[in-house]
């Protein structure tokens, strides 16, 4: 590490700590989602934060600390994947075309699992606990899951998500769309498979 | 501004919820929602679903890990009291 006490007597470690602290929970959540396990997530976060500390001169505008940190975590994760011979962006993108048209809202309306409910759709969602949603979500391919995480969970705009993932905006938009479809289909399949709902055309 | 159909409105719904549409696209969604009860229902549904995903994916960094990270960036600890 370089010894630089330039910043008007503020030590780099101190400056960095105040940049990072407000985002630690969010960054950790992102790491858990990327890694699928908490110990790996802690490891990844630590690795990324060390990189950030070394490269903090690259952050010119402290207001952008949040997306800067998410970018560093993403890159650290991608490097791990690469070193294990797996390339994130070459995971098959061909979710079959039929998947694109699935609508959970329509499916719940048509299958009508709660005939006496006047809040059919919300009742469907109430069947799911956090762990159920997490399991469905974890089954979505990372390329489609990450844009969803960044926008829906962490509140980044599509443009910011594109910058963090280092892909064109159009790519993020189409992956978001697919991710949503996979989430919706996943929710329905999960509910049927785990018998959270009974549907008419059951085989047995 | 053009009138959009349900399919188009639904495809913009999550971006609408994130306030991530440009002004024209957003107006088009709002005009559609003003005319279409079905899509108002789906908007409500999408909002809930999105909130569920956000809730299920949020985490708190455990204190032990937080301390370890603090040490990464910290000068040696001040001499402790007592």
């Amino acid at each position: 590490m370089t010894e630089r006490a330039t910043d008007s007597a503020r030590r780099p470690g101190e400056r960095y700590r105040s940049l990072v602290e407000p985002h630690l929970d969010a960054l950790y959540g992102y790491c858990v989602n990327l890694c699928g396990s908490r110990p790996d997530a802690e490891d990844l976060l630590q690795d990324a934060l060390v990189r950030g500390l070394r490269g903090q001169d690259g952050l010119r505008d402290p207001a952008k600390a949040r997306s800067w940190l998410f970018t560093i975590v993403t890159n650290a994760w991608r490097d791990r994947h690469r070193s294990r011979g797996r390339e994130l962006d070459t995971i098959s993108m061909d979710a079959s075309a039929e998947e694109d048209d699935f609508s959970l809202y329509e499916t719940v309306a048509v299958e009508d699992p709660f005939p006496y409910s006047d809040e059919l759709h919300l009742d469907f969602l109430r069947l799911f606990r956090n762990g159920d949603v997490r399991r469905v979500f974890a089954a979505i391919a990372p390329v489609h899951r990450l844009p969803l995480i960044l926008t829906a969970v962490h509140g980044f705009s599509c443009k910011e998500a594109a910058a963090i993932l280092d892909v064109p905006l159009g790519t993020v938009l189409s992956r978001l769309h697919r991710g949503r479809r996979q989430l919706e289909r996943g929710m329905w399949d999960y509910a049927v498979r785990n018998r959270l709902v009974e549907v008419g055309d059951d085989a047995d | 501004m053009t009138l959009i159909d349900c399919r188009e409105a639904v495809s913009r719904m999550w971006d609408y919820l994130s306030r991530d549409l440009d002004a024209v696209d957003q107006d088009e969604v709002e005009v559609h929602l003003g005319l279409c009860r079905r899509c108002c229902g789906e908007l409500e549904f999408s909002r809930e679903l999105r909130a569920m995903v956000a809730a299920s994916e949020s985490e708190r960094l455990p204190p032990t890990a937080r301390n370890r990270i603090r040490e990464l960036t910290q000068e040696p600890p001040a001499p402790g009291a007592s």
Side-chain angles (χ1 to χ4, degrees), chain A residues 11 13-14 16-17 21 24-25 28-29 32-33 38 42 45-46 49-50 53 101 103-106 121-122 124-125 128 130 133-134 137 148-149 151-153 157-158 173 176-177 180-181 183-184 187, chain B residues 6-7 10-15 18-20 37-62 64-66 68-75:
Chain A
R11 274 163 294 204
E14 206 175 301
Y16 186 63
R17 201 158 52 245
E21 291 256 332
L24 280 180
D25 286 332
Y28 175 63
V32 171
N33 190 272
R38 293 193 168 79
E42 284 183 24
L45 180 59
Q46 208 164 312
L49 290 176
V50 170
L53 178 63
D101 274 339
S103 160
L104 181 57
Y105 191 81
E106 290 298 333
H121 290 91
L122 296 181
F124 175 79
L125 294 180
F128 288 79
N130 273 353
V133 179
R134 214 175 299 134
F137 206 65
L148 272 179
I149 289 274
T151 56
V153 180
S157 68
C158 296
L173 292 174
L176 260 177
H177 184 78
R180 259 175 250 150
R181 291 286 156 264
L183 173 67
E184 293 194 7
M187 297 277 286
Chain B
C6 293
R7 196 188 158 86
V10 167
S11 81
R12 293 183 198 174
M13 218 159 250
W14 280 46
D15 297 334
S18 345
R19 302 173 188 282
D20 207 5
R37 277 190 60 154
R38 184 219 161 275
C39 283
C40 289
E42 180 149 0
L43 180 71
E44 191 52 37
F45 178 72
S46 301
R47 184 179 285 137
E48 283 295 316
L49 179 55
R50 222 166 157 280
M52 283 169 69
V53 170
S56 79
E57 295 301 318
S58 63
E59 295 277 346
R60 291 193 66 81
L61 183 66
T64 49
R66 190 176 293 269
R68 215 172 312 130
I69 283 163
R70 199 164 286 153
E71 281 163 20
L72 287 177
T73 59
Q74 200 142 32
E75 54 285 354

Side-chain angles (χ1 to χ4, degrees), chain A residues 151-171:
Chain A
T151 56
V153 180
H154 297 292
F156 289 107
S157 68
C158 296
K159 228 169 141 183
E160 289 168 322
I164 290 169
L165 297 170
D166 193 25
V167 294
L169 179 60
T171 308

